[in-house]
Amino acid sequence: MRPRLLILPLAAALIAAVCLWKATRPPQKQVIPRDSGVGFLAAPDFELPDQGRDLKVGSHSQTDPSRRVRLKSYRGRHTIILAFFDGEDGADREPLLMRLRDRHEVLEKMGVVVLAVTTALPQQNRRAIERGGAFPFPLLSDLDGSVVATWGCLDVKDDGSRRTRPALFLIDRAG
């Protein structure tokens, strides 16, 4: 056989070996360096009153109006799901929050903390809790809308009315 005729079968065997090697290799995760500026932003800190937790005082329960939640206190220790919701109809009627409440036990086992933020009045949040039961995560009231606006979830209409756009943010331990 001539040497030129051997090149074609050798090339085919080499291509087949490379394809087999690529197919049997475990998939590699694409790692984007944090300093590349692609898709990573530092989570802005905030502190808001929690309207969703009840305290047992004697034989009755009441909401603790002085309990404040600060995002900074969770960073570095937990992965955080930050949920923004409108709350106009009530937290108990918000599908996003209901799904988070249904899956909270699984999220908790994974070390994930859920925080829910709305511009709804604290009374609206308390009525929602009375109607649909307590939430296993904080319902935070952002009355002036500054936190919701900082996170890009505030819609202001021409008539001055404000609505919170439902959104979820996943914040890793690095913030």
Side-chain angles (χ1 to χ4, degrees), residues 14-31:
L14 182 63
I15 290 171
V18 169
C19 289
L20 182 65
W21 175 74
K22 286 278 269 181
T24 58
R25 223 175 75 186
Q28 300 293 317
K29 289 183 179 179
Q30 182 182 8
V31 177

Side-chain angles (χ1 to χ4, degrees), residues 43-86:
D45 192 30
F46 61 81
E47 184 176 338
L48 294 172
D50 180 5
Q51 300 300 319
R53 302 284 176 135
D54 287 338
L55 291 177
K56 293 285 183 190
V57 180
S59 60
H60 66 284
S61 69
Q62 66 184 35
T63 303
D64 178 11
S66 64
R67 177 169 150 71
R68 298 184 65 78
V69 173
R70 187 163 189 173
L71 181 64
K72 185 170 138 180
S73 64
Y74 293 99
R75 276 194 300 216
R77 298 182 311 152
H78 302 282
T79 299
I80 305 161
I81 292 180
L82 183 59
F84 289 94
F85 69 102
D86 184 37

Side-chain angles (χ1 to χ4, degrees), residues 151-172:
W151 284 80
C153 298
L154 186 66
D155 284 334
V156 180
K157 308 284 186 214
D158 292 334
D159 62 358
S161 64
R162 304 174 309 165
R163 292 196 64 108
T164 304
R165 250 180 311 174
L168 282 178
F169 292 91
L170 180 64
I171 305 168
D172 66 3

Side-chain angles (χ1 to χ4, degrees), residues 92-109:
D92 61 325
R93 294 188 178 124
E94 177 61 48
L96 176 69
L97 289 185
M98 299 312 287
R99 286 193 300 264
L100 287 171
R101 180 163 78 174
D102 293 344
R103 292 168 178 82
H104 186 263
E105 193 174 305
V106 174
L107 292 169
E108 198 173 43
K109 285 179 184 174

